[in-house]
């Protein structure tokens, strides 16, 4: 059950588009907003922005070359953000990438763009568990626990249920994941929802087709953030009457 949604966030006029990566800090929401495809279809730039939780006001923002910024993770120990560059345009052609941008949280400036361990064939998302200080990189079926971006300490295979008997549990519409306190939360597109696994990759629960009493419908469930107080935030691309 969704208890509430965050509304009346104050943005600058030029920060418009659709939500991609999303995470939280104790006091704020951090999100990547990609320009509408109607305005700049092949741009690799997104708005990285921070919103104060209490006031809903814009704290800071920057226009950064992060391609399809599929996920964002916040490391409170190093004061860094990790953004997965899922894909980007090269000569107007969209190509898949295996890159992660390391960003200074205080300045919203890119410090470095890296390619993690080459054994990870497809980097689809990145996560950081601040409670247990665990870095993880994921794809639709695999989660890699990392000692650092170059060293894999453990590989976890997500055991999805049988797709024939449980079609809504499938991974075909995988968006991204977050690892928190020995649980893995995977967000999905169709039907929009969350798959929950234990730390060994065993399937626990499926939640889908969220119903929120607002004048919009949820479409793709893009991102998720799980906080130490047990609150779960998720961000969605929204469908309205004008689509």
């Amino acid at each position: 059950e969704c208890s509430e949604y965050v509304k009346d966030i104050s943005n600058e006029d030029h920060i418009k588009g659709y939500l991609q990566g999303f995470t939280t800090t104790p006091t704020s929401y951090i999100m990547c907003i990609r320009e509408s495809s109607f305005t700049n279809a092949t741009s690799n730039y997104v708005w990285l922005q921070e919103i104060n939780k209490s006031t809903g006001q814009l704290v800071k923002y920057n226009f950064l070359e992060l391609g399809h910024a599929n996920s964002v993770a916040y490391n409170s120990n190093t004061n860094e953000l990790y953004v997965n560059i899922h894909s980007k345009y090269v000569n107007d052609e969209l190509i898949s990438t295996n890159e992660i941008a390391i960003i200074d949280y205080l300045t919203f400036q890119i410090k470095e763009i890296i390619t993690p361990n080459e054994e990870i064939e497809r980097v689809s998302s990145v996560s950081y568990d601040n409670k247990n200080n665990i870095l993880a990189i994921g794809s639709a079926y695999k989660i890699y626990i990392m000692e650092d971006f170059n060293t894999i300490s453990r590989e976890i295979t997500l055991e999805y249920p049988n797709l024939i008997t449980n079609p809504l549990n499938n991974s075909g519409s995988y968006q991204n994941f977050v690892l928190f306190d020995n649980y893995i939360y995977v967000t999905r597109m169709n039907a929009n929802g969350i798959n929950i696994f234990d730390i060994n990759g065993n399937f626990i629960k499926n939640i889908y087709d969220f119903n929120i009493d607002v004048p919009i419908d949820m479409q793709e469930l893009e991102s998720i953030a799980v906080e130490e107080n047990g609150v779960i935030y998720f961000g969605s691309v929204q469908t309205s009457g004008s689509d």
Side-chain angles (χ1 to χ4, degrees):
E1 178 180 338
C2 302
S3 57
E4 61 181 306
Y5 69 101
V6 180
K7 59 181 179 179
D8 299 329
I9 292 177
S10 177
N11 288 347
E12 300 293 325
D13 287 341
H14 56 274
I15 303 182
K16 293 180 179 178
Y18 59 89
L19 175 68
Q20 292 187 308
F22 168 82
T23 192
T24 63
T25 75
T27 60
S28 65
Y29 313 109
I30 295 174
M31 57 191 77
C32 287
I33 304 295
R34 182 171 175 76
E35 289 183 284
S36 166
S37 59
F38 293 106
T39 58
N40 201 343
T42 60
S43 173
N44 285 320
Y45 281 82
V46 300
W47 291 105
L48 178 65
Q49 61 182 21
E50 181 177 28
I51 303 292
N52 184 282
K53 283 181 180 176
S54 299
T55 66
Q57 298 297 306
L58 189 66
V59 178
K60 62 178 178 282
Y61 60 89
N62 202 1
F63 199 44
L64 298 174
E65 191 173 7
L66 298 172
H68 191 103
N70 199 51
S71 64
V72 182
Y74 170 61
N75 184 333
S76 61
N77 296 301
T78 61
N79 238 6
E80 292 175 331
L81 299 172
Y82 306 135
V83 178
N84 168 223
I85 304 175
H86 182 267
S87 56
K88 61 186 178 183
Y89 284 96
V90 176
N91 297 324
D92 293 337
E93 180 181 354
L94 187 65
I95 64 168
S96 299
T97 63
N98 272 3
E99 297 176 337
I100 292 176
I102 301 176
I103 296 172
D104 182 357
Y105 165 70
L106 295 178
T107 64
F108 272 16
Q109 296 291 334
I110 296 174
K111 298 170 65 174
E112 186 179 4
I113 293 179
I114 62 170
T115 300
N117 188 302
E118 62 183 12
E119 292 181 27
I120 306 174
E121 294 182 2
R122 186 71 174 96
V123 178
S124 296
S125 50
V126 60
S127 173
Y128 194 85
D129 178 351
N130 284 293
K131 181 177 181 179
N132 300 293
N133 299 320
I134 298 175
L135 171 68
I137 294 173
S139 63
Y141 295 96
K142 299 281 189 181
I143 302 293
Y144 300 88
I145 307 298
M146 312 294 293
E147 292 182 21
D148 53 48
F149 283 108
N150 293 314
T151 308
I152 299 172
S153 64
R154 184 181 176 193
E155 179 181 315
I156 303 166
T157 299
L158 301 182
E159 299 294 343
Y160 288 89
N162 184 288
L163 302 188
I164 297 175
T165 58
N166 298 279
L168 288 173
N169 292 337
N170 76 83
S171 64
S173 57
Y174 170 92
Q175 291 285 75
N176 57 47
F177 87 103
V178 64
L179 169 71
F180 180 76
D181 207 18
N182 291 322
Y183 290 95
I184 298 164
Y185 303 81
V186 174
T187 58
R188 295 189 14 236
M189 226 174 10
N190 296 309
N192 64 69
I194 299 171
N195 294 133
I196 303 174
F197 302 84
D198 66 18
I199 193 61
N200 296 312
N202 298 310
F203 180 81
I204 296 175
K205 191 175 185 179
N206 178 51
I207 306 168
Y208 68 94
D209 199 17
F210 289 103
N211 184 19
I212 305 178
D213 186 20
V214 292
I216 55 173
D217 294 321
M218 289 184 59
Q219 195 175 37
E220 299 179 17
L221 192 63
E222 288 279 348
S223 302
I224 184 171
V226 183
E227 300 193 329
E228 291 189 38
N229 60 6
V231 175
I232 298 176
Y233 293 93
F234 51 88
S236 171
V237 171
Q238 301 164 350
T239 303
S240 66
S242 60
D243 211 23

